Amino acid sequence: MVKSVIIRGPGGPEEMEFVHVDLPEPGSGEVRIRHEAIGLNYIDIYHRTGLYPLDYPQSLGMEAAGIIEAVGDGVPHLAVGDRAAYASMPPGAYSQARIMPASQVCPLPDGIAFETAAAAMLKGLTVEYLFHRTTPLREGDMVLFHAAAGGVGLIACQWARSEGIQLIGTAGGERKCTQAVNRGAIGCIDYQIDDFVSVVMKLTDNKGVDAVMDGVGATTFEKSLDCLRPLGMMISFGNASGPVPPVNLGLLAQKGSLKITRPTLFTHIADHSTCQKMAERLFQKILSKDVTICIEQRFELDEIADAHRALEARKTTGSTVLIP
């Protein structure tokens, strides 16, 4: 029997409940993985609240790291006893162990701790596709990254520095701004005090940035368009403040023939080969110390409701892990 967190319908943190389940042997193309650490992400809140609807009842959690306990037929890249990590659909990481499709489970190098991997997979693979698979970015280009002191943001600051990309961040409060700069941002704007559009234009000599990477959503979207240079790319990849309202495409023409996209990680990692290559690039960034995963909060899995409340209230910085 293993403990798992499920939700029977959309709601608040109190709607999550613990169940005990028997795990069968994995089928063809599946593995059973025993979790050593689990990642906490904002998409978990979207699933819990119903912003991203699921078929209920449903387990929650999108990333974890642990040991492969059993392997089904047709899984050539993993063996019993392997260290492994994943970010994957369907949800189910909030558990002591699980049976899951093996395609997006990645061998974990010995030099990377389980907690590091659990905190890095979804967020780090997100940064990988933002910088390498969404719009062409070259050394010297400038990007604006919202929530730069969050789990994705602090990885992005370091990733940008390692690629020679100039990242301007936004964050709430002096402490968070300092964290972003210490991790590689060339500057960070405290949105509680300053108008980020004015500061971005000042920092870019009124030219604007090449791309905006925005996981915040409703409260930052429209002003972000004003930060882009002509032909710049608006990348809306999350909705922490709520979904972006309908967009008048005519605005993109008026503001300089702008481009816009709404990508998701799971489109990129749906292909097994692409997923493994993305993970290899992420692991190399960590092993080379170009990227250090900043784990600022740890909760026991039994404290999952408190973990959700802290993340939803923006009381967290960096990454959060759950210990099963």
Side-chain angles (χ1 to χ4, degrees):
M1 299 282 284
V2 300
K3 184 164 57 177
S4 179
V5 176
I6 67 166
I7 189 165
R8 300 189 186 277
E14 68 281 355
E15 296 300 321
M16 293 183 288
E17 62 181 273
F18 290 97
V19 295
H20 288 83
V21 296
D22 285 316
L23 294 182
E25 291 300 305
S28 179
E30 294 181 329
V31 295
R32 185 172 73 238
I33 181 169
R34 172 75 53 176
H35 293 149
E36 298 289 336
I38 302 160
L40 180 73
N41 296 280
Y42 222 93
I43 192 173
D44 304 346
I45 290 174
Y46 301 158
H47 286 154
R48 194 202 75 224
T49 61
L51 180 61
Y52 292 176
L54 299 170
D55 292 328
Y56 303 102
Q58 176 65 57
S59 298
L60 295 178
M62 304 300 295
E63 67 177 347
I67 301 289
I68 300 297
E69 288 190 329
V71 179
D73 295 335
V75 183
H77 69 294
L78 294 167
V80 173
D82 281 354
R83 307 171 79 250
Y86 67 85
S88 179
M89 288 288 280
Y94 289 2
S95 60
Q96 294 172 320
R98 68 184 292 200
I99 303 288
M100 64 180 298
S103 182
Q104 280 70 52
V105 181
C106 304
L108 179 64
D110 289 339
I112 300 177
F114 289 119
E115 284 193 9
T116 298
M121 288 300 289
L122 190 142
K123 292 175 275 292
L125 294 179
T126 295
V127 173
E128 199 277 351
Y129 86 68
L130 288 173
F131 281 91
H132 296 280
R133 300 172 190 274
T134 307
T135 191
L137 289 172
R138 298 167 295 181
E139 183 176 357
D141 284 351
M142 300 192 76
V143 303
L144 173 65
F145 200 102
H146 290 298
V152 177
L154 291 180
I155 295 173
C157 290
Q158 298 172 80
W159 202 292
R161 179 170 58 188
S162 74
E163 301 281 340
I165 294 167
Q166 307 297 296
L167 184 148
I168 302 167
T170 69
E174 181 180 357
R175 176 174 173 265
K176 289 187 176 184
C177 285
T178 298
Q179 283 185 306
V181 171
N182 288 344
R183 295 284 172 165
I186 64 168
C188 190
I189 304 160
D190 184 349
Y191 63 77
Q192 295 176 344
I193 298 174
D194 296 314
D195 172 56
F196 68 81
V197 178
S198 300
V199 179
V200 166
M201 298 311 290
K202 181 178 179 180
L203 291 173
T204 62
D205 295 327
N206 288 317
K207 295 177 181 177
V209 296
D210 298 280
V212 175
M213 300 177 179
D214 183 9
V216 174
T219 61
T220 52
F221 179 81
E222 289 193 18
K223 284 190 172 184
S224 293
L225 298 178
D226 293 327
C227 296
L228 286 164
R229 64 165 177 80
L231 305 178
M233 172 64 84
M234 177 69 199
I235 307 170
S236 176
F237 69 95
N239 318 282
S241 67
V244 173
V247 178
N248 176 4
L249 291 179
L251 281 177
L252 304 181
Q254 296 170 23
K255 293 179 182 294
S257 300
L258 303 180
K259 295 168 283 189
I260 186 169
T261 185
R262 179 56 172 92
T264 72
L265 170 64
F266 302 105
T267 305
H268 289 277
I269 66 173
D271 176 74
H272 168 71
S273 177
T274 300
C275 177
Q276 300 298 317
K277 289 176 182 176
M278 291 172 67
E280 288 169 7
R281 179 177 269 155
L282 170 62
F283 294 154
Q284 185 54 45
K285 290 284 187 186
I286 295 171
L287 290 170
S288 67
K289 302 191 185 306
D290 282 338
V291 169
T292 300
I293 305 303
C294 180
I295 300 173
E296 293 281 350
Q297 298 82 212
R298 290 173 176 82
F299 293 86
E300 297 294 322
L301 185 57
D302 290 345
E303 301 173 302
I304 186 60
D306 290 337
H308 267 233
R309 292 186 185 102
L311 181 62
E312 205 164 13
R314 299 190 186 185
K315 293 181 179 178
T316 64
T317 57
S319 296
T320 301
V321 294
L322 308 168
I323 308 304

